[in-house]
Amino acid sequence: MSEFEHILYERPADRVARIVLNRPDARNAQSMRLLHELNDAFDLAAQDDAVSVIILAANGPHFSSGHDLREADAREVVAGHRRVGTWCGFGCDGAEGQMAVEKEMYLGLSERWRNLPKPTIAAVQGKVIAGGLMLVWPCDLIVAAEDASFADNTVSMGVSGAEFFNHPFEVGVRTAKEMLFTSDFFSARDLHRLGMVNHVVPRDELDDVALELASRVAAKPLFALKLAKEAVNAAQDNQGRHNAMQTSFAYHQLCHSHNQQVHGMLIDPGFLARSPVGRKGEIQ
Ligand code: ZN
């Protein structure tokens, strides 16, 4: 149905679009191409008046291992693609170029998807690591398989947290700190108890439950759905989410600059020896 390479775009039911991450061999690591295609697919669904609800799912055993750390030419890829934000300087040296890329591709896209004017539902299985959270958290509802688990291991990389820093608003401040301090995986059941996950279901029922939920939501008047979403998002933003996000993004960039000065690379090289995500993107 589409010319996408790293994702699938489907219409599984009336008024429902489903976007599927489709790099299972790379554990759905987020190349710049995958992120661009995902953004294009979200736009396609958002601008299609016959679609009311969007499901985000993933092929393979794991939802996403995070950003594709093997992508050496990320800045060139970003510079050559249609912009979605207003920032500039993607080819600049030093922190200026790095911040530009991350502001556009990481914080910018996740925030943009969070504000899409239609309900979105993440259907999640397996591991969701760091950048993977930045695909799941922007969605309005989260349905997780029993085997789903979630981690932000960026502190292990010498960085203060993923670029889309929604942790305190997703799991509360105590668990947000434990998640960041330890890099541990948290189970779908634990995060259901904390309110981050709406439903935990058997793995073989994940697709059906997400689709049934999407169809029930899609039967409601779309304008009321849009405004209900806007109202809840406004309530969250009035709790200081936007300012917290900007502060944490600045710290994140400071960490990259520090690592670049001290280690000659954006992350602490000790991470590569300790990481659950291998150099080839496999989850160990
Ligand atoms: Zn970063």
Side-chain angles (χ1 to χ4, degrees):
M1 177 163 180
S2 73
E3 68 278 20
F4 296 121
E5 201 174 288
H6 289 174
I7 63 162
L8 305 174
Y9 185 86
E10 303 169 341
R11 289 292 308 278
D14 188 35
R15 304 204 67 76
V16 177
R18 181 165 56 206
I19 303 167
V20 184
L21 309 178
N22 195 31
R23 293 187 80 198
D25 292 344
R27 301 302 186 232
N28 294 312
Q30 297 160 34
S31 63
M32 293 297 169
R33 181 181 183 97
L34 182 142
L35 291 171
H36 280 133
E37 289 188 358
L38 183 53
N39 187 59
D40 288 345
F42 271 129
D43 275 359
L44 195 60
Q47 292 163 19
D48 183 346
D49 289 341
V51 170
S52 290
V53 176
I54 306 163
I55 295 171
L56 177 62
N59 276 338
H62 300 292
F63 185 86
S64 179
S65 59
H67 296 147
D68 193 341
L69 300 178
R70 296 167 298 162
E71 201 169 35
D73 61 344
R75 292 191 187 189
E76 288 75 16
V77 175
V78 174
H81 197 270
R82 176 177 66 90
R83 304 277 184 279
V84 296
T86 57
W87 210 252
C88 58
F90 301 100
C92 290
D93 291 335
E96 185 175 4
Q98 187 62 31
M99 180 178 177
V101 168
E102 299 205 359
K103 197 173 174 69
E104 167 87 359
M105 295 302 298
Y106 298 156
L107 177 57
L109 288 183
S110 291
E111 188 68 12
R112 191 169 187 273
W113 302 332
R114 184 254 189 186
N115 293 324
L116 286 175
K118 293 180 180 177
T120 52
I121 301 173
V124 183
Q125 78 280 3
K127 297 279 192 287
V128 181
I129 304 174
L133 298 168
M134 295 166 52
L135 307 184
V136 173
W137 283 346
C139 291
D140 298 309
L141 306 177
I142 300 173
V143 181
E146 288 167 335
D147 72 343
S149 60
F150 304 77
D152 182 352
N153 59 352
T154 48
V155 170
S156 295
M157 301 181 204
V159 179
S160 51
E163 291 88 351
F164 182 75
F165 196 87
N166 224 33
H167 312 56
F169 298 94
E170 298 288 350
V171 299
V173 294
R174 296 281 174 223
T175 302
K177 288 174 181 171
E178 186 177 353
M179 187 177 233
L180 290 161
F181 294 170
T182 64
S183 297
D184 286 349
F185 281 98
F186 287 71
S187 71
R189 293 213 177 279
D190 283 345
L191 296 174
H192 176 260
R193 186 170 47 78
L194 292 170
M196 189 195 100
V197 170
N198 291 88
H199 302 285
V200 182
V201 301
R203 174 69 183 88
D204 60 0
E205 295 176 17
L206 178 64
D207 290 347
D208 288 345
V209 170
L211 187 55
E212 189 273 337
L213 179 60
S215 292
R216 276 198 296 129
V217 173
K220 306 288 192 295
L222 181 54
F223 191 38
L225 288 171
K226 288 177 188 170
L227 297 185
K229 173 170 179 168
E230 291 277 302
V232 177
N233 282 0
Q236 194 181 40
D237 287 343
N238 284 333
Q239 295 171 346
R241 193 192 69 95
H242 177 76
N243 288 342
M245 189 75 76
Q246 295 303 315
T247 299
S248 58
F249 186 69
Y251 292 158
H252 181 102
Q253 297 306 315
L254 177 61
C255 289
H256 278 326
S257 293
H258 173 77
N259 289 328
Q260 192 71 49
Q261 290 175 41
V262 174
H263 303 298
M265 58 191 298
L266 294 170
I267 61 174
D268 187 323
F271 166 77
L272 296 173
R274 301 188 300 266
S275 171
V277 181
R279 287 175 182 271
K280 293 182 178 176
E282 73 275 20
I283 292 173
Q284 298 168 342

